[in-house]
Amino acid sequence: MGCASSSPKETATITAAPPKKTNNDNVDMENTTKKRERETTGGTEAMAAGISVSLASSDAENINPNNNNNQNGVNNNNNNSNKQTSNASSPQPNKSSSPQNPIPPTSASSPGSNPVKVGNLSLRYAALTHRGRDPDFPTKPNQDRFGHHRNPHSAFFAVYDGHGPHGEKCSDFVRGRLPQLLKTNLQNWKDRRNNNGSNNGEEFFLSVDDIHDSLHDAHIDCNDELRRSEIDDRHSGTTSVGVYLHDDRMTVANVGDSRIVLGTLASSSPSDGRSSIQAIPLSKDHTPYRQDEASRCVSSGARILSFGQIDPAAKDDTEDDDDDDDDVEDPPRVWARDGKYPGTAFTRSIGDSVAERFGVCAEPEMLTLPVSTDERLLVLASDGVFDVLSNQAVVDLCYAYRSDPVRAAEAIVERSHEEWLLNDDCCEDDANYDDMTVVIVYFHHKGVNDEDHNITTETTNGGGEDVKAPPRQPRPKGKRVRQKTLQNLEEMGQ
């Protein structure tokens, strides 16, 4: 998906693992931001590595890098990580969807309705995950996870979308370990800079290069640690999309096909003279649809073929008798030259040790931007959301419910669920849909009132107490999305 050329961004730093980015993918980074040379940023501290694994917890632990009360920075109360229900910490009661298509309970987390300070930034945020449904696997666990971690100086928000037979174990592992590794790497860089004798006794602040190196190494090391763990990651793994907020800047790191989108005040107004909120994608999906990604895998010995191309007979056998093949998405996948494996529909992940032999890697693509007063929100979500909702539709929903972050997250899950049912033209009992997870971060700028800009997104009644979601935009019926990785080799007749 391309982004509008009238982006308000003026500066950006992009770091990508080989091969280099191209401009013909779902995000045109050159049109999103103007590239700039890296420079030393303002002051930063190592991020808080605390993580709330208990889904009933209202917020991630706040851990200062110099606080020794919790050496590993993790709340190990993770017994509820795979449960379907949890008490949500929310400014308002949970609002359910229509009785015709009820949504199963979700797990939510939020610090509340009041903004929190992170460095010079003032934030409100909420996170919510909702278990998907597979009629052939009624006890399917939720393989998505979210993380939000902050200290007074910086914050890290992330979404992890597990896949494969042990995907929930992989996403759990990465959610717990990646923030720790990032915290350690940032602190190591800071200590190194402060001890090199070139700062005349003043504290040295981390550069963009330092932060990019810290994020890169954290992902690679996390992948290595997962490989050495007791988790079987041969055909399982997880995506990871995260944003590190620091010094009035945001640094995005992405592995896989989850996504992060910025909601910003459009610099050019519509014809009626009113302002609008513009969705700007900050990540590019890592799939074989991207020529650069496919080329890397091919150079590592992979074949890029869809189910139908690699084995038409096996594809036909996997469909129901009354199923229309034309309604089922059959994306390109990564295959070995000598066999029908691993069959991943993504080209980067943490885990997936078999697919790694054929170019699937854990190298993150990174982007650094300033947080200007035009920025209103960030939304991170798994493909259970972005497979059925456009970037703009998600941002519009976030902005319509900006007074209540948890309700905004609920609205996105509800709308996604509705789209999945419409996509399959079925009711809940017959539905097959993906896990849906979203993290929303709202920016609050001193002296800036959105009502002064006459924003077009929100619709209210009377004094604005009854917020209504933007209407559902008519869109062509999409193709049902097949799983992104093979659950077992029997699916291909082996």
Side-chain angles (χ1 to χ4, degrees):
M1 180 180 296
C3 67
S5 60
S6 58
S7 165
K9 302 291 99 197
E10 294 183 354
T11 62
T13 300
I14 302 170
T15 299
K20 293 182 178 180
K21 289 177 180 288
T22 60
N23 289 331
N24 58 355
D25 303 311
N26 63 316
V27 183
D28 185 343
M29 290 296 189
E30 289 300 325
N31 284 339
T32 301
T33 56
K34 295 180 180 179
K35 193 173 183 179
R36 68 169 175 81
E37 294 198 6
R38 294 180 178 180
E39 59 185 26
T40 301
T41 64
T44 186
E45 296 284 342
M47 60 158 288
I51 182 168
S52 173
V53 179
S54 172
L55 295 178
S57 178
S58 63
D59 193 11
E61 261 181 63
N62 298 328
I63 300 179
N64 189 293
N66 298 321
N67 186 347
N68 294 322
N69 293 332
N70 186 338
Q71 293 295 332
N72 60 12
V74 176
N75 175 0
N76 290 315
N77 179 21
N78 60 357
N79 295 329
N80 297 325
S81 61
N82 286 331
K83 291 186 178 180
Q84 300 176 25
T85 61
S86 173
N87 296 326
S89 175
S90 168
Q92 296 181 2
N94 222 5
K95 299 180 176 63
S96 62
S97 61
S98 64
Q100 291 84 1
N101 294 314
I103 301 181
T106 56
S107 301
S109 183
S110 170
S113 58
N114 294 324
V116 296
K117 292 291 291 183
V118 175
N120 296 324
L121 300 174
S122 183
L123 312 173
R124 288 183 305 134
Y125 59 89
L128 185 146
T129 185
H130 165 60
R131 184 173 69 91
R133 189 178 189 280
D134 184 346
D136 297 328
F137 188 11
T139 60
K140 183 190 85 68
N142 187 344
Q143 295 186 310
D144 282 6
R145 299 291 185 268
F146 60 76
H148 49 96
H149 331 284
R150 62 182 172 86
N151 65 19
H153 307 284
S154 57
F156 182 68
F157 300 90
V159 166
Y160 312 100
D161 182 356
H163 50 255
H166 308 290
E168 69 278 8
K169 296 179 181 178
C170 294
S171 55
D172 255 345
F173 182 93
V174 176
R175 177 181 66 170
R177 193 68 185 116
L178 182 65
Q180 293 178 335
L181 292 167
L182 178 56
K183 174 187 175 182
T184 298
N185 293 346
L186 290 168
Q187 188 64 55
N188 288 342
W189 270 111
K190 183 179 177 183
D191 292 344
R192 191 176 305 142
R193 298 300 190 192
N194 285 332
N195 294 331
N196 67 1
S198 62
N199 56 351
N200 297 320
E202 296 181 1
E203 186 174 30
F204 191 96
F205 298 127
L206 297 182
S207 69
V208 175
D209 276 334
D210 297 338
I211 293 169
H212 282 217
D213 288 344
S214 297
L215 281 162
H216 172 274
D217 292 348
H219 285 79
I220 299 302
D221 292 344
C222 190
N223 185 62
D224 291 341
E225 291 187 10
L226 176 60
R227 188 72 32 81
R228 297 192 300 268
S229 74
E230 296 180 354
I231 299 172
D232 182 356
D233 74 337
R234 289 175 297 174
H235 296 281
S236 299
T238 183
T239 70
S240 173
V241 61
V243 59
Y244 178 57
L245 300 175
H246 54 99
D247 317 317
D248 296 327
R249 296 177 184 269
M250 63 181 96
T251 296
V252 173
N254 180 49
V255 173
D257 58 0
S258 295
R259 194 177 299 173
I260 179 170
V261 179
L262 173 69
T264 187
L265 191 65
S267 56
S268 57
S269 299
S271 57
D272 61 3
R274 305 179 74 190
S275 298
S276 62
I277 295 298
Q278 180 183 9
I280 301 178
L282 300 183
S283 62
K284 298 200 289 186
D285 297 349
H286 295 135
T287 75
Y289 282 117
R290 282 179 53 173
Q291 185 59 50
D292 58 342
E293 292 291 301
S295 297
R296 186 188 68 249
C297 293
V298 169
S299 67
S300 297
R303 293 180 293 169
I304 305 298
L305 299 168
S306 66
F307 271 136
Q309 291 172 321
I310 196 169
D311 196 334
K315 175 178 180 293
D316 292 340
D317 290 342
T318 62
E319 305 296 344
D320 295 334
D321 292 338
D322 59 349
D323 207 4
D324 183 356
D325 288 351
D326 292 338
D327 287 340
V328 179
E329 182 182 1
D330 189 14
R333 295 173 181 266
V334 178
W335 305 95
R337 292 192 183 278
D338 59 353
K340 298 172 183 176
Y341 67 94
T344 62
F346 47 82
T347 54
R348 302 195 193 197
S349 74
I350 299 177
D352 294 285
S353 60
V354 172
E356 192 172 281
R357 306 203 309 257
F358 307 103
V360 175
C361 68
E363 296 268 357
E365 284 187 312
M366 290 171 284
L367 169 71
T368 292
L369 300 171
V371 179
S372 76
T373 55
D374 285 339
E375 325 303 6
R376 292 299 185 267
L377 61 95
L378 286 169
V379 55
L380 302 82
S382 61
D383 59 358
V385 171
F386 285 116
D387 272 353
V388 291
L389 294 179
S390 69
N391 295 342
Q392 189 63 53
V394 171
V395 166
D396 285 346
L397 281 168
C398 291
Y399 199 75
Y401 290 101
R402 62 189 180 274
S403 63
D404 185 344
V406 170
R407 182 65 192 115
E410 291 171 348
I412 291 174
V413 168
E414 290 169 3
R415 183 66 62 85
S416 300
H417 178 261
E418 176 187 353
E419 291 295 334
W420 278 103
L421 298 188
L422 291 171
N423 210 19
D424 255 358
D425 192 20
C426 66
C427 63
E428 177 68 26
D429 291 341
D430 302 320
N432 186 342
Y433 52 86
D434 202 357
D435 303 327
M436 293 166 277
T437 300
V438 60
V439 175
I440 308 171
V441 181
Y442 292 94
F443 297 112
H444 291 263
H445 305 287
K446 186 176 181 180
V448 175
N449 186 346
D450 283 346
E451 306 310 321
D452 295 339
H453 296 285
N454 201 16
I455 303 298
T456 61
T457 302
E458 186 178 29
T459 302
T460 59
N461 293 331
E465 296 180 356
D466 299 323
V467 179
K468 296 182 179 179
R472 176 180 178 270
Q473 297 298 320
R475 53 187 281 150
K477 180 180 177 181
K479 293 185 177 183
R480 293 191 300 279
V481 181
R482 299 179 62 90
Q483 65 226 50
K484 297 302 177 71
T485 184
L486 300 183
Q487 293 291 330
N488 54 68
L489 297 180
E490 292 177 357
E491 181 172 9
M492 290 304 297
Q494 295 186 353

